[in-house]
Amino acid sequence: MSDAKKPWGGRFEHTPSRFLDEFGASLPVDKRMWAEDITGSIAHARMLARQGVISEADADAIEEGLSEIYREIRDGHFDFDVADEDIHMAIERALTERIGPAGGRLHTARSRNDQVALDTRMYAKRMARELAEALAAVRATLASLAESHADVVMPGYTHLQKAQPVLFAHHMLAYFWMLARDATRVRHAYEAADIMPLGSAALAGTTFPVDRRFVADRLGFAEVTANSLDSVSDRDFLLDLTYACTVTMVHLSRLCEELIMWSSEEFGFVTMDDAYSTGSSIMPQKKNPDFAELTRGKTGRVVGDLVGLLTVLKGLPLAYNKDMQEDKEGAFDAIDTTLDCLTVVEGMLATMRVNAERMLAGAHGGFMAATDLADHLVGAGMPFREAHEVIGKLVLSCEREGRTLQDLSAEEFAAVHPALGPDVTGVVDVRAVVERRVSEGGTGPASVAAQLDGARDELAASSAWLAGLGG
Ligand code: ARG
């Protein structure tokens, strides 16, 4: 590697060792931005010709050469040379080998500092779109689960102790809204990336009469950056995208944790499809929810990627510093991991069996109608605190006798308090407890149906945004 001629060779008397060359290289990581690099370079060359900085003939030769390289990389025929430091040098070198001196004109009015900022922004936009699509797919599956299991009642928990019964649909839609906010964060990251930095050159702008807006229009950017120093130093857009990935992973991890618990024998609320389970090499009976566990586990990696990127940027003076080459590996890992996990979770949700009877049985325990009984006493004029006390005592005595609220007879209720009349068995009915939660956003069936409509609207808005991106 150290034998290769450096593009800055003029000023140097000798070159770094092979080890240092490899230490300084980023090609293995940034070569995945090859398409962005080529598309960006073609736009730059066309702009240079239009502005009379290079000839149209040179721009044609550059465009042809780059298009050929594009096809070769796409079809897997391009030979990446380990001697190339990064994707920008690899492509420029291949171009110059093919078209001669015209290739050497491509880098006029440009630095790798604004070039890498451009490529990374284009790549971030492409990935934000893929993330938005994958997030929408999981939301669609959550909404379908809610729709197809509209009547299923399950225990709701606080502190992982049974609290009040809820609809399974309500529980699924809770995750829908988390992922909808993740989609908003991804969209914000897209917009943050959608500003065109080329023309900032190394740090101070360029002496050539560049037309930055032409390049921005051609590459589909909404705007051009306002400050050349900021343009080559800013990686906020990558932080935004990595943060969006991190929160998405935290949400997926929570969902996976519930699926793992729910598929245990103790809960039995869901049964994972065999395709999303693995066995044990020693225990023949085992069926493990590995993929949910891995998603939960990979969340740690993505959190690490975010912290890593924040730490790389912290304390960097303006403008470009080589530290910034360390921005991509973690961000790419966060994006890849999140995309994979969204695919895994979507498939897991779409194929799992929902065990409605087990959920309903679970909703009978835990004295989950206690709040409703207290509310009933309030309806009869008792202050809530006193009602809380009365029902608390009732729960205690049931607990001592090993009975549930649904086991008590009308006479037994009446003996607790006269306001607990014959209609009280209807009060403790689990389904009735759910149906009474009619507040907007509550778990009552009518509220959940309205919520599902809102979810469908949200999904439609999300696809409209994606469709508006074109291409
Ligand atoms: N590979 C570099 C990166 O990813 C490209 C920019 C290099 N610029 C420089 N002045 N060395 O950051």
Side-chain angles (χ1 to χ4, degrees), residues 26 30 85-86 88 112-113 116 320 322 324-325 328:
S26 58
D30 60 29
E85 184 186 326
D86 54 28
H88 325 295
R112 276 185 299 155
N113 298 351
V116 72
Y320 179 83
K322 186 76 166 178
M324 293 169 73
Q325 181 167 285
K328 284 175 274 308

Side-chain angles (χ1 to χ4, degrees), residues 94-159:
L95 178 70
T96 308
E97 277 166 17
R98 278 159 215 233
I99 68 169
R105 301 215 161 88
L106 170 62
H107 212 53
T108 314
R110 185 175 77 168
S111 155
R112 276 185 299 155
N113 298 351
D114 57 347
Q115 186 179 357
V116 72
L118 174 72
D119 293 4
T120 311
R121 282 174 176 275
M122 288 171 72
Y123 185 80
K125 284 174 67 181
R126 176 150 70 89
M127 290 298 118
R129 183 184 187 142
E130 283 192 23
L131 283 161
E133 280 163 0
L135 276 162
V138 182
R139 296 212 296 299
T141 300
L142 287 165
S144 301
L145 271 172
E147 192 155 33
S148 56
H149 298 82
D151 299 330
V152 176
V153 173
M154 64 176 285
Y157 299 83
T158 64
H159 313 267

Side-chain angles (χ1 to χ4, degrees), residues 32 36 122-139 183 186-187 190 241 245 248 332 335-340 342-343 462 465-466 469:
R32 65 161 80 191
E36 284 75 19
M122 288 171 72
Y123 185 80
K125 284 174 67 181
R126 176 150 70 89
M127 290 298 118
R129 183 184 187 142
E130 283 192 23
L131 283 161
E133 280 163 0
L135 276 162
V138 182
R139 296 212 296 299
V186 164
R187 196 154 145 177
Y190 179 97
L241 194 57
C245 288
T248 302
F332 291 173
I335 295 162
D336 294 348
T337 304
T338 307
L339 280 170
D340 284 352
L342 285 165
T343 305
S462 196
W465 179 75
L466 278 165
L469 298 180

Side-chain angles (χ1 to χ4, degrees), residues 43-54:
H44 180 66
R46 295 269 57 125
M47 181 278 290
L48 290 178
R50 205 163 164 270
Q51 299 299 103
V53 178
I54 64 172

Side-chain angles (χ1 to χ4, degrees), residues 185-199:
R185 276 180 278 274
V186 164
R187 196 154 145 177
H188 166 75
Y190 179 97
E191 282 159 11
D194 196 17
I195 309 176
M196 211 289 298
L198 209 66

